[in-house]
């Protein structure tokens, strides 16, 4: 397992916070179109299903770039790699803000996918090198709190900015955020020489030789595909229920607040109840999607359901990443790259097939399909009971 750099605990936690800001910038960038799907589609004269490609494209690219960047940069200081990748994301968002056509927006989203996949695959296990081992679960929860903070602050704030000042202003703001994260990381993260030099041949070895990793990858695929198949289109779902478009930002804010709570609740549970926490996320996500499909919602009931949904999804990043790290403690970057690849491919597939379902079946169909996939993940968790080498079992 990686060892921490010899430095003060305060500097270690400041570095953790810098990485958290980077994750926050990445996830805000990747998910911002969820709140702006309708206005961007209208401005660019494309359907909501086609506009969903703004989520699909970076997801596909991130899935490919996670292992590619991890292997290609295997000998380079991890701080240098992380700062270059977050800079790329910031610049791509600024390019989106000035795009003259949808093709340019998608090209910028392609670059964001490279940044997301490479950054996350390296940053997912970086707490091991920044803080003492006893603080790693907490530091990992803080880092992945950036995912939920993106939901609670980034995406809702971007949505509100987009509703009041235009979607281009929202993309520009996220671009500036990425460049701010770059500056913080340069000053606060220490030099992190590469400790593990991996090759492409190592990736299938990790997957083939580790039942715990295989189970974690399967669970990630099912839950994340199901979630984003539905969540990508939450704005049109709510508007079809008669909820005012100006309320969407506030409802997404509600989802994000619940997500932060779910993240830290999971962070407190995973040390002793990792498998149960992972199973619980599937149950909660399934229940939330079924409720939203069945209940005639107003702003209050929609907010209540989104709180439940947010609690479930908030637990996902830290608990799923911990499952992977616990299953492969000696090959963290290789296992993390496979996990990040699967996570982002699932985002892409969820958005893609959700778009097809919305355009071809009905908007609410994505909720039922997503619920089925989240339920299937429970079977995998149960099957992994005796084969997953979880230290907490």
């Amino acid at each position: 397992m990686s060892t921490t750099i010899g430095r003060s605990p305060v500097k270690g936690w400041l570095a953790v916070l810098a990485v958290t800001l980077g994750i926050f910038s990445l996830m805000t960038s990747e998910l911002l179109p969820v709140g702006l799907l309708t206005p961007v589609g209208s401005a660019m004269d494309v359907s909501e299903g086609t506009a969903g490609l703004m989520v699909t494209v970076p997801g596909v690219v991130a899935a490919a770039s996670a292992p590619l960047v991890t292997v290609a940069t295997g000998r380079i200081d991890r701080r240098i790699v992380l700062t270059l990748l977050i800079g790329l994301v910031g610049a791509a968002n600024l390019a989106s803000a000035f795009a003259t056509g949808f093709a340019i927006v998608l090209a910028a989203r392609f670059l964001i996918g490279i940044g997301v996949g490479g950054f996350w695959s390296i940053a997912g296990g970086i707490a091991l090198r920044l803080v003492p081992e006893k603080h790693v679960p907490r530091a990992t929860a803080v880092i992945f709190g950036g995912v939920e903070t993106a939901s609670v602050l980034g995406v809702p704030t971007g949505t509100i900015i987009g509703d009041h000042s235009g979607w281009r202003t929202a993309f520009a703001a996220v671009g500036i955020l990425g460049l701010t994260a770059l500056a913080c990381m340069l000053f606060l993260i220490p030099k992190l020489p590469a400790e593990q030099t991996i090759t492409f041949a190592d990736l299938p070895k990790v997957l083939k030789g580790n039942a715990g990793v295989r189970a974690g990858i399967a669970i990630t695929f099912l839950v994340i595909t199901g979630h984003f198949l539905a969540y990508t289109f939450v704005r049109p779902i709510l508007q079809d229920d008669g909820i005012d478009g100006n309320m969407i930002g506030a409802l997404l804010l509600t989802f994000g607040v619940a997500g932060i709570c779910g993240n830290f609740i999971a962070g407190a549970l995973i040390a002793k109840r990792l498998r149960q926490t992972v199973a619980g996320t599937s149950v909660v996500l399934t229940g939330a999607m079924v409720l939203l499909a069945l209940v005639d919602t107003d702003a209050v009931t929609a907010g209540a359901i989104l709180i439940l949904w947010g609690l479930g999804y908030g637990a996902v990043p830290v608990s799923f990443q911990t499952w992977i790290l616990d299953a492969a403690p000696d090959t963290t970057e290789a296992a993390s790259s496979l996990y990040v690849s699967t996570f982002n491919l699932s985002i892409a597939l969820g958005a893609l097939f959700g778009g097809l379902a919305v355009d071809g079946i009905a908007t609410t169909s994505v909720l039922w399909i997503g619920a089925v996939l989240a339920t299937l993940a429970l079977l995998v968790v149960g099957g992994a009971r005796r084969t997953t080498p979880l230290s907490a079992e």
Side-chain angles (χ1 to χ4, degrees):
M1 182 175 289
S2 301
T3 56
T4 59
I5 300 296
R7 61 204 304 265
S8 75
V10 172
K11 289 184 178 179
W13 277 102
L14 286 174
V16 167
L17 293 176
V19 176
T20 302
L21 181 60
I23 289 283
F24 171 76
S25 303
L26 288 174
M27 296 311 297
T28 300
S29 298
E30 186 170 18
L31 300 180
L32 183 61
V34 171
L36 301 176
L37 209 64
T38 302
V40 173
S42 297
M44 295 293 179
D45 196 26
V46 297
S47 71
E48 288 176 339
T50 300
L53 291 173
M54 291 188 292
V55 180
T56 300
V57 168
V60 170
V61 176
S65 69
L68 287 174
V69 171
T70 304
V71 172
T73 63
R75 298 180 182 275
I76 303 175
D77 186 297
R78 311 328 268 160
R79 180 181 69 164
I80 295 174
V81 177
L82 291 175
T83 53
L84 287 174
L85 290 170
I86 198 66
L88 177 65
V89 170
N93 277 299
L94 291 175
S96 296
F98 295 98
T100 56
F102 192 63
I104 297 175
V105 172
L106 290 184
R109 302 297 295 169
F110 182 97
L111 296 177
I112 287 171
I114 294 174
V116 169
F119 189 102
W120 195 348
S121 65
I122 295 170
I126 207 168
L128 297 167
R129 302 187 64 185
L130 298 176
V131 297
E133 185 174 353
K134 65 180 180 178
H135 294 155
V136 167
R138 186 184 304 171
T140 302
V142 170
I143 287 173
F144 284 97
V147 176
E148 305 314 322
T149 308
S151 296
V152 70
L153 290 177
V155 175
T157 301
T159 302
I160 292 169
I161 291 172
D163 287 342
H164 291 87
S165 301
W167 62 269
R168 294 182 186 275
T169 304
F171 277 109
V174 177
I176 294 171
L177 175 67
L179 298 181
T180 301
L182 183 155
C184 291
M185 291 167 62
L186 280 176
F187 283 104
L188 298 176
I189 298 178
K191 293 181 179 179
L192 297 172
E195 287 189 336
Q196 301 173 351
T197 303
I198 64 173
T199 65
F200 287 113
D202 294 323
L203 301 176
K205 288 180 183 178
V206 171
L207 192 61
K208 182 178 180 181
N210 192 312
V213 172
R214 290 198 302 274
I217 294 299
I219 294 164
T220 300
F221 175 79
L222 290 168
V223 171
I224 301 305
T225 301
H227 168 75
F228 279 97
L229 198 144
Y231 182 68
T232 301
F233 301 95
V234 70
R235 180 169 187 143
I237 288 170
L238 294 174
Q239 288 184 312
D240 283 354
D241 261 357
I243 293 175
D244 192 303
N246 292 327
M247 287 292 299
I248 303 299
L251 289 171
L252 292 179
L253 181 64
T254 300
F255 174 92
V257 170
I260 289 181
C261 295
N263 175 74
F264 287 102
I265 290 170
L269 293 174
I270 54 177
K272 295 183 179 180
R273 299 182 180 277
L274 179 57
R275 186 175 67 245
Q276 293 91 331
T277 303
V278 171
T281 63
S282 299
V283 173
V284 173
L285 288 172
T286 299
M289 286 185 269
V290 169
L291 282 173
L292 194 57
L294 289 176
V295 175
D296 290 330
T297 56
D298 55 22
V300 175
T301 55
I305 294 171
L306 286 175
I307 287 173
L308 180 66
W309 195 342
L311 284 170
Y313 183 69
V316 166
V318 65
S319 56
F320 286 24
Q321 178 76 58
T322 300
W323 179 298
I324 295 296
L325 294 176
D326 199 79
D330 298 320
T331 53
T332 56
E333 284 199 358
S336 289
S337 70
L338 291 172
Y339 164 71
V340 173
S341 181
T342 302
F343 197 107
N344 284 281
L345 179 61
S346 300
I347 291 175
L349 291 177
L352 175 62
F353 288 111
L356 294 174
V358 165
D359 288 346
I361 306 175
T363 305
T364 55
S365 67
V366 296
L367 294 169
W368 292 108
I369 300 170
V372 169
L373 292 176
T375 301
L376 290 176
L378 285 173
L379 301 178
V380 181
V381 176
R385 185 183 299 273
R386 296 181 180 178
T387 58
T388 305
L390 300 180
S391 60
E393 298 305 329

